[in-house]
Amino acid sequence: MSHLSDAQLQELNHTLREQKKDLERHFSANGEENSALGESLTDSTGDLSTVDNHPGDLGTEVFERERDLAVNDSLHEELDQINGALERMNKGTYGVCQICGRDIPFERLQAIPYTAYCVDDTPERSLRSDRPVEEQVITPPPTGAGEGRQEYDRRFDDADAWDSVEEYGTSNTPAMAAKRDVEDYDDGM
């Protein structure tokens, strides 16, 4: 017999069904059925060719697609957990930790209604172990790289900085270099 009252179970059941509806709505509007995530990058952007695009534009498109795929993966996982919680409700095992068998407090179920674990037995979520392939070929920076780079960070942080740099030349035109006044040219108008 569950430690949760009928009113508590109804509240949690309603919350789970609303979350499930929201996720299914997300997937029907943005998900697999009519999503551009299954298409090629060229098809999804609507461009006939990517030749005239700046590489940064393509990088942005790839980043956006990867982000959308990661969000969808996370939402699929949440939907699976919600379906599991609804199934446990039907079996009468909802609200009981799957590891130790103790009752999960109602407050925890309100916060995370699809949880199957008490706080003590919640599986540790770690970062994914698959890393980008580029990390295998990138060489580490040489020893000492970056050391002392701020040693001279205030060298030209004074009023004479421009005078020191100007010695090497400027992009001024010869007329500007002669320091002629603009008013001299306005007389003829």
Side-chain angles (χ1 to χ4, degrees):
M1 185 167 148
S2 177
H3 68 287
L4 301 169
S5 70
D6 288 341
Q8 290 173 331
L9 277 171
Q10 269 187 323
E11 176 188 329
L12 293 168
N13 188 320
H14 176 72
T15 303
L16 286 167
R17 292 197 183 283
E18 285 298 313
Q19 288 179 349
K20 181 177 178 173
K21 256 193 261 181
D22 288 344
L23 289 172
E24 287 172 345
R25 197 174 310 121
H26 165 79
F27 288 124
S28 68
N30 306 318
E32 289 80 39
E33 292 102 33
N34 59 359
S35 172
L37 294 178
E39 299 175 357
S40 74
L41 188 60
T42 304
D43 291 342
S44 68
T45 60
D47 292 337
L48 297 176
S49 171
T50 58
V51 173
D52 62 339
N53 286 355
H54 187 277
D57 294 337
L58 290 176
T60 300
E61 291 295 330
V62 170
F63 167 78
E64 300 268 341
R65 176 173 291 206
E66 287 295 322
R67 185 198 58 207
D68 292 344
L69 288 170
V71 167
N72 277 352
D73 285 348
S74 177
L75 293 178
H76 269 297
E77 184 179 320
E78 186 175 334
L79 183 61
D80 290 344
Q81 291 176 347
I82 289 171
N83 287 331
L86 291 169
E87 195 175 304
R88 289 191 303 279
M89 272 188 180
N90 291 336
K91 290 181 181 178
T93 59
Y94 179 77
V96 177
C97 179
Q98 290 185 338
I99 303 292
C100 67
R102 289 182 295 178
D103 291 339
I104 301 171
F106 176 66
E107 293 78 16
R108 176 165 171 76
L109 292 170
Q110 278 183 310
I112 312 169
Y114 50 81
T115 189
Y117 307 101
C118 65
V119 173
D120 296 333
D121 293 321
T122 300
E124 186 176 322
R125 296 185 72 168
S126 60
L127 295 175
R128 293 174 57 163
S129 61
D130 57 333
R131 302 295 304 162
V133 70
E134 291 85 1
E135 288 184 356
Q136 296 171 12
V137 296
I138 294 175
T139 57
T143 308
E147 291 177 8
R149 67 179 192 158
Q150 293 181 351
E151 185 176 341
Y152 300 107
D153 66 339
R154 293 193 179 106
R155 179 178 227 163
F156 289 111
D157 195 16
D158 61 358
D160 297 329
W162 174 250
D163 294 334
S164 300
V165 174
E166 191 180 27
E167 291 174 12
Y168 295 100
T170 66
S171 61
N172 288 345
T173 63
M176 290 180 73
K179 298 186 186 208
R180 295 186 177 132
D181 288 331
V182 176
E183 291 109 25
D184 294 342
Y185 298 104
D186 289 338
D187 293 338
M189 294 184 178

